[in-house]
Amino acid sequence: MFCYQCEETLNGKGCTKKGICGKDEETANLIDLLIYLCKGISVRNVPAMENGAGNPDAGKFIMDSLFTTLTNVNFDKDRYYQLISEAIAIRDKIPKAAGSEHDACTWKPKDKSEVEEKAKLVGVLLTENEDVRSLRELLVYGLKGVSAYYHHAAILGFTDDEIPAFVQKGLASTLKDLSVDEMTGLVLECGGVGVKTLELLDRAHTTTFGKPEITTVKTTVRDRPGILITGHDLLDLKMLLEQTKGTGVDVYTHGEMLPAHGYPAFKGIENLVGNYGRSWWHQKEEFESFNGPVLITTNCIVPPKDSYKDRVYTTSVVGYPGLKHIKADEKGHKDFSALIEQAKKCSPPEAVGNESDLITGCAHDAVLALAGPVTDAIKNGAIRRFIVMAGCDGRHREREYYTEFAKALPADTVILTAGCAKYRYNSLGLGDIGGIPRVLDAGQCNDSYSLVVIAKALAEAFGVDINELPVSYNIAWYEQKAVLVLLALLNLGIKNITIGPVLPAFVSPAVLDVLVKNFGLGKNSTVEEDLKKMVPQ
Ligand code: SF4
Ligand code: SF3
């Protein structure tokens, strides 16, 4: 195996024997083969679609497969064997492309052992040139981000054929010998498609669940059994709340589900108690002390401990060997009665964390409703600067930097955040500036689009270019959705973004050089240095 798609990759180079995330060698190889076959499907389907002979279902299959392979989504080998068979079946129904075809379009196994053998040969290192590999993988990881966000919009009925079409064009391109300029162009185009996908998802969420409102969320527990829901899927939360109503079972959000509390659709629900715990990587302790069933709707899943494994359920693209999986029926309905019945036999959750209230729901509509006070505060100097600190959280000690940075920010600065990165500073009690919270949490990483809307609106209000605003970017990344958000920001022309806690291992020195020269992209440094750079006196 060789995997270097996330920030925690071994020694900042690549996981080669087992993933730090817990992914084993066979699973990592099967993931490589699934992606290889998705590329093969795309090579056939792109020209076939142009001739009206394409397989319209291939796009959905590819995007759900890419989401499945994102870090901390699915560790279940059986699921990958099944997806590999489906990929071959889908591919073989699409007419062959003209001329001789790539191996990814024609390879077919006789049995499972051939699948296992092939899976060892088609990984990232198949591309020998380091810079070509870097650009291809940067594109594939961006496409994984597009696929994840698109999945969330699509299950709410919001689709756009151009998005899966681009994902297939991008995948197919990685099997071709393209020039550096062509590859770079596709990477940046992927960022543009990312903006479009995030906008679609924003529309899907706000149309379905209402426009988020600035909301205070409790982190205390009640004396009744509960179900904990984590991940990003708000539709699962909606179904769970409908089914737990009147059962005496409470529901708590965890990790990236915290922003749900800001949506009108989830307000005033008696058994939606609050948020429990922090970001994804604390789940070993937090799932233990929660005592009740846990529903994992998307990334990030951490390999569970035996002590609580029997009360963890996965759904949708998530999977882990031995965990119970809840499938949707043909109408998309999910039956959570097994969790509810199990919860009734469990003890109530034990308190965790410092139990301070959290503020969320500061998405674009809520913040722009404050446009007057915000622009006034900027004009009269009450707000000196905004720092965009969106992105992911992770286990590495270096991430304490983000807590220290937030603490060290002067009192006339405001943090704009989205994603689970916020757990590094959302319970610090940083206060407000004339009623404007100093940590404006726009929501999940899925809601990063809000930050773009806010920045664009401010640029318009002040009649300046987006890069002339008093805004700095200090972004924390971990998985591939964050890669896409970064590409989206670059596509919007945003310069001088700082990322951390380390640079992606898949960005080669030459590719980094291009990003530095064209966009001023840089790595974070010390709190003192970065404060000087990002909050000029
Ligand atoms: Fe390693 Fe990250 Fe890949 Fe897991 S996802 S195998 S931790 S690089
Ligand atoms: Fe977090 Fe996994 Fe990226 Fe949605 S839950 S931001 S890491």
Side-chain angles (χ1 to χ4, degrees):
M1 73 175 276
F2 180 83
C3 181
Y4 65 173
Q5 68 173 354
C6 84
E7 184 270 333
E8 291 186 1
T9 195
L10 185 69
N11 298 329
K13 290 197 161 50
C15 298
T16 53
K17 292 199 171 69
K18 187 177 165 67
I20 301 285
C21 59
K23 191 160 79 183
D24 68 17
E25 179 152 28
E26 187 183 349
T27 310
N29 293 341
L30 291 170
I31 285 176
D32 288 341
L33 180 56
L34 177 59
I35 291 175
Y36 185 68
L37 291 169
C38 287
K39 292 175 179 178
I41 299 176
S42 302
V43 168
R44 279 197 180 176
N45 206 34
V46 170
M49 283 190 298
E50 281 163 14
N51 300 328
N55 180 345
D57 298 330
K60 181 179 182 320
F61 173 82
I62 288 173
M63 297 181 86
D64 284 350
S65 293
L66 288 189
F67 190 7
T68 305
T69 70
L70 196 113
T71 298
N72 293 341
V73 171
N74 200 311
F75 295 82
D76 188 356
K77 288 186 208 27
D78 292 345
R79 180 82 186 118
Y80 287 109
Y81 278 112
Q82 189 192 330
L83 286 169
I84 286 167
S85 303
E86 286 175 33
I88 293 168
I90 287 177
R91 182 197 67 189
D92 291 351
K93 278 198 200 122
I94 305 169
K96 290 181 179 173
S100 70
E101 286 194 299
H102 193 282
D103 175 65
C105 305
T106 56
W107 174 80
K108 226 173 159 162
K110 285 194 209 63
D111 52 30
K112 199 173 166 185
S113 69
E114 281 195 15
V115 173
E116 227 176 290
E117 285 313 305
K118 185 72 172 177
K120 293 176 189 162
L121 307 172
V122 292
V124 171
L125 300 177
L126 196 60
T127 303
E128 283 169 16
N129 181 293
E130 187 192 20
D131 300 322
V132 175
R133 189 193 309 144
S134 178
L135 286 167
R136 284 180 179 170
E137 292 310 311
L138 185 52
L139 178 58
V140 170
Y141 303 150
L143 296 175
K144 288 191 183 194
V146 169
S147 300
Y149 293 134
Y150 189 75
H151 169 98
H152 286 288
I155 51 160
L156 296 173
F158 288 73
T159 56
D160 176 345
D161 291 344
E162 286 180 14
I163 297 171
F166 177 77
V167 170
Q168 293 172 76
K169 175 179 143 186
L171 284 177
S173 80
T174 64
L175 293 182
K176 295 179 189 147
D177 285 324
L178 299 183
S179 68
V180 167
D181 281 352
E182 285 169 315
M183 287 186 284
T184 313
L186 280 162
V187 166
L188 292 179
E189 196 180 340
C190 181
V193 174
V195 177
K196 202 168 154 178
T197 312
L198 285 165
E199 190 272 330
L200 182 74
L201 179 55
D202 183 82
R203 209 155 13 99
H205 277 159
T206 51
T207 310
T208 314
F209 306 111
K211 294 176 177 173
E213 296 155 12
I214 300 183
T215 303
T216 303
V217 183
K218 291 269 171 235
T219 64
T220 46
V221 293
R222 290 206 302 205
D223 192 20
R224 300 204 310 185
I227 295 174
L228 189 62
I229 176 167
T230 191
H232 302 70
D233 197 315
L234 298 177
L235 186 58
D236 285 338
L237 174 64
K238 180 171 177 277
M239 286 189 264
L240 182 64
L241 288 169
E242 283 162 0
Q243 293 174 40
T244 49
K245 191 175 173 196
T247 60
V249 172
D250 287 335
V251 173
Y252 295 78
T253 57
H254 176 268
E256 278 286 65
M257 205 55 86
L258 159 67
H261 296 273
Y263 288 90
F266 300 121
K267 289 199 176 291
I269 298 177
E270 189 275 329
N271 68 328
L272 177 60
V273 177
N275 192 68
Y276 186 85
R278 295 155 292 171
S279 63
W280 64 273
W281 62 277
H282 300 281
Q283 56 189 257
K284 282 192 177 159
E285 313 95 78
E286 292 168 356
F287 289 4
E288 185 84 68
S289 60
F290 184 74
N291 293 332
V294 180
L295 178 65
I296 305 185
T297 66
T298 67
N299 57 311
C300 283
I301 174 169
V302 174
K305 283 166 68 180
D306 288 343
S307 52
Y308 61 75
K309 216 173 166 168
D310 68 321
R311 40 182 181 87
V312 180
Y313 296 73
T314 60
T315 187
S316 181
V317 288
V318 191
Y320 193 88
L323 295 188
K324 285 163 279 215
H325 188 80
I326 310 271
K327 269 193 176 166
D329 66 16
E330 319 77 60
K331 289 187 180 142
H333 180 265
K334 293 180 185 177
D335 178 1
F336 295 126
S337 55
L339 285 92
I340 298 168
E341 288 315 308
Q342 190 177 18
K344 288 178 183 166
K345 295 181 206 120
C346 294
S347 310
E350 291 156 42
V352 281
N354 65 8
E355 303 195 355
S356 56
D357 290 350
L358 303 174
I359 295 173
T360 191
C362 315
H364 56 89
D365 285 301
V367 174
L368 295 181
L370 295 173
V374 170
T375 42
D376 286 351
I378 297 172
K379 280 184 195 148
N380 68 25
I383 295 179
R384 179 167 23 144
R385 209 161 180 89
F386 292 91
I387 318 288
V388 175
M389 289 179 73
C392 309
D393 194 14
R395 288 172 268 234
H396 280 165
R397 286 236 1 229
E398 291 94 316
R399 288 189 190 256
E400 285 167 14
Y401 159 93
Y402 294 103
T403 309
E404 295 310 315
F405 186 86
K407 277 189 199 160
L409 279 171
D412 54 1
T413 56
V414 171
I415 295 174
L416 288 171
T417 192
C420 64
K422 63 172 144 288
Y423 283 99
R424 290 280 169 178
Y425 41 79
N426 68 347
S427 57
L428 292 177
L430 294 180
D432 62 280
I433 298 175
I436 301 162
R438 282 196 59 223
V439 179
L440 284 173
D441 173 22
Q444 304 174 328
C445 58
N446 294 23
D447 303 307
S448 304
Y449 178 71
S450 260
L451 305 178
V452 170
V453 175
I454 294 168
K456 278 187 171 171
L458 285 177
E460 205 168 296
F462 285 95
V464 296
D465 178 80
I466 208 160
N467 285 305
E468 289 165 341
L469 284 171
V471 179
S472 301
Y473 295 81
N474 193 4
I475 291 184
W477 81 285
Y478 168 63
E479 35 73 4
Q480 300 79 53
K481 289 198 265 180
V483 174
L484 196 253
V485 171
L486 177 68
L487 295 181
L489 295 176
L490 297 183
N491 176 277
L492 290 165
I494 293 170
K495 299 257 187 334
N496 302 323
I497 296 173
T498 295
I499 60 165
V502 297
L503 289 174
F506 54 82
V507 173
S508 70
V511 171
L512 181 63
D513 202 45
V514 173
L515 294 174
V516 172
K517 283 202 182 108
N518 294 329
F519 298 100
L521 188 78
K523 192 193 120 26
N524 69 326
S525 148
T526 61
V527 169
E528 296 70 33
E529 285 304 310
D530 290 344
L531 271 179
K532 270 190 239 154
K533 204 169 72 184
M534 292 183 213
V535 190
Q537 291 304 310

